[in-house]
Amino acid sequence: MAFAQSPPEMTLDVSVGGGITSNPFLDSNGKTSGSATIALSPSVFVEDELGETRLRGDLRLTQYLQRYGSDIAGALEATTVRKLDERTQLEIGVSARTSRSALGNGLIFAPTPGEIPGPLVPPVSPILDTTIAGTRARTTSIGTNIGIAHELDELSGLNAGVELNGTYIGNDAGFDYRSASANLGYERKLSPRTTVTMGTQVGGVDYLGRRTGDSLIVSPRVGVQQQLSERMNLIADAGISFVRTAVVGGHSERVTFAGSLGLCDRGPNRSLCLSASRSAQPTALGGVSTVTTAALSYDARLSRVDRLALGARYGRTNEDGAGLPLVRVTDFVGASATYSRDISERIALTVTPSYAKLFDDLQPRRANYAIMFGLTMKFGKRR
């Protein structure tokens, strides 16, 4: 049987620019440097009667004029969603990221609300591993996930999924690790606007070359999805994380609070999203820590040719887990704003000031103040 398929939509953004940054890698003794950057951002979208496939990439080459040399950072994400039948949907995704300044590029690569496809669902706040900041070590992460959702009837449904990830840190700045998790959930509509959810995630962490720090994480949660208006949606859940960690001479167990909150307001010319989460996560130090994150993103079309995008992120890694060498707390705060003006249908000028600061209880670190100017050329047909 043949299915109608729309022609693939392919786009490419090419950006060139430069600017000044005071501490690009959040070192304890960072120095101010000028820089020049070229970035490529391709995307592909394919849709047919059974679903859709999205591919998005970012490749960024930065040449610093003093001290830091050159840096390459990249991200690639691919997702396909397919209808297996009238009640069953399958989703498969793969992703890869590499960077020597994971915290800074986390601000750059984070999508704005206007770029997030799909229904009015708040985005998940990305995990921040602040333990590797200031090391200038290349961090590469690769992951894949598969999920299935099935409607039992008009009011209820089941979902299940499996996720595999690998994180690799260069320069012996941390421990490489692999993780695997499986989740099972149930949801039921109480009204056209309100849905309650229940679910459990079970995962394991394997640190390569060492047994200390290997962990089992079990996290049951209950939550609610509430459509507050035609434009606004709320998602929240709460539960616990039970962590069993291998230590010298045996195992250690602990229980912590886990939860997440997301709120999105999306209109035709303006979008605002807030998200926050707290969970037990592996870090490069070699053990499972309590990680808290929060994110805000705002995108507005000011006029036919003017656009403003704002983003802010907060992350705290409380490195108090069993197997870790010491108790340590690191906080990260970052914010950026991008103003763009279309010179023509295909060319835009951009200005991006940003701020990033790491608060480490072991040593003081200078904040990074940066301002970048760029020219972006857009190729391909856009929706």
Side-chain angles (χ1 to χ4, degrees):
M1 181 181 294
F3 298 97
Q5 177 175 305
S6 303
E9 297 181 6
M10 295 179 287
T11 66
L12 173 64
D13 289 356
V14 180
S15 302
V16 294
I20 298 176
T21 179
S22 64
N23 187 12
F25 295 95
L26 299 179
D27 295 345
S28 58
N29 59 344
K31 301 297 182 181
T32 300
S33 175
S35 64
T37 300
I38 181 169
L40 305 176
S41 300
S43 67
V44 179
F45 175 76
V46 181
E47 184 177 27
D48 60 28
E49 294 176 353
L50 293 182
E52 62 183 41
T53 299
R54 297 179 182 270
L55 175 67
R56 176 182 176 179
D58 288 288
L59 180 63
R60 182 177 298 266
L61 172 62
T62 302
Q63 178 64 52
Y64 294 96
L65 304 183
Q66 296 93 22
R67 187 178 186 182
Y68 298 106
S70 60
D71 181 30
I72 297 178
L76 180 65
E77 299 175 354
T79 303
T80 183
V81 179
R82 309 297 295 174
K83 287 184 178 180
L84 302 183
D85 55 44
E86 290 299 320
R87 292 190 172 186
T88 308
Q89 180 174 282
L90 176 70
E91 180 174 345
I92 300 174
V94 295
S95 64
R97 288 174 177 263
T98 182
S99 174
R100 285 202 300 138
S101 180
L103 298 181
N105 284 305
L107 282 171
I108 295 172
F109 290 150
T112 63
E115 296 173 327
I116 302 172
L120 301 181
V121 177
V124 176
S125 185
I127 299 300
L128 287 172
D129 185 355
T130 59
T131 63
I132 54 176
T135 64
R136 301 192 212 173
R138 178 162 299 280
T139 301
T140 301
S141 60
I142 302 172
T144 183
N145 65 277
I146 181 170
I148 190 167
H150 177 70
E151 295 180 5
L152 299 174
D153 51 46
E154 293 182 354
L155 298 178
S156 60
L158 289 173
N159 58 81
V162 176
E163 184 173 347
L164 304 173
N165 290 284
T167 300
Y168 308 93
I169 298 98
N171 299 342
D172 294 324
F175 295 101
D176 300 341
Y177 60 88
R178 297 174 298 196
S179 62
S181 64
N183 65 275
L184 179 65
Y186 171 79
E187 62 180 42
R188 184 172 181 82
K189 285 186 178 181
L190 301 182
S191 72
R193 289 178 176 266
T194 306
T195 300
V196 293
T197 62
M198 295 180 289
T200 298
Q201 185 176 46
V202 179
V205 183
D206 174 31
Y207 283 92
L208 306 186
R210 70 196 302 256
R211 184 175 178 275
T212 300
D214 292 353
S215 300
L216 170 70
I217 306 173
V218 181
S219 185
R221 300 192 190 189
V222 296
V224 63
Q225 300 177 6
Q226 180 70 43
Q227 186 172 348
L228 302 175
S229 67
E230 294 301 317
R231 301 192 336 173
M232 187 176 295
N233 225 41
L234 171 71
I235 291 179
D237 65 24
I240 63 170
S241 288
F242 168 80
V243 183
R244 188 172 191 264
T245 302
V247 296
V248 177
H251 292 84
S252 175
E253 297 178 353
R254 65 191 177 105
V255 177
T256 60
F257 169 78
S260 65
L261 175 70
L263 178 67
C264 264
D265 180 9
R266 292 179 181 168
N269 295 311
R270 182 185 64 84
S271 297
L272 174 66
C273 284
L274 303 169
S275 60
S277 69
R278 188 176 192 267
S279 59
Q281 297 290 334
T283 69
L285 275 188
V288 172
S289 299
T290 301
V291 178
T292 304
T293 66
L296 178 149
S297 53
Y298 175 80
D299 180 76
R301 176 65 68 176
L302 304 178
S303 69
R304 186 180 62 85
V305 296
D306 297 300
R307 179 177 175 180
L308 177 66
L310 306 175
R313 293 186 66 188
Y314 167 78
R316 161 170 280 205
T317 304
N318 190 354
E319 298 147 19
D320 57 355
L324 292 172
L326 72 164
V327 175
R328 177 184 171 197
V329 177
T330 52
D331 295 271
F332 169 78
V333 177
S336 67
T338 298
Y339 168 76
S340 63
R341 183 175 181 84
D342 295 335
I343 299 175
S344 68
E345 193 174 303
R346 299 284 183 181
I347 301 176
L349 286 173
T350 60
V351 180
T352 303
S354 65
Y355 166 84
K357 172 69 173 175
L358 188 71
F359 300 89
D360 193 329
D361 60 0
L362 294 184
Q363 60 177 317
R365 297 177 186 269
R366 291 182 57 200
N368 179 45
Y369 298 91
I371 185 165
M372 303 296 293
F373 302 89
L375 182 70
T376 300
M377 292 157 280
K378 306 174 183 180
F379 303 92
K381 184 179 179 181
R382 297 169 189 270
R383 306 179 79 186

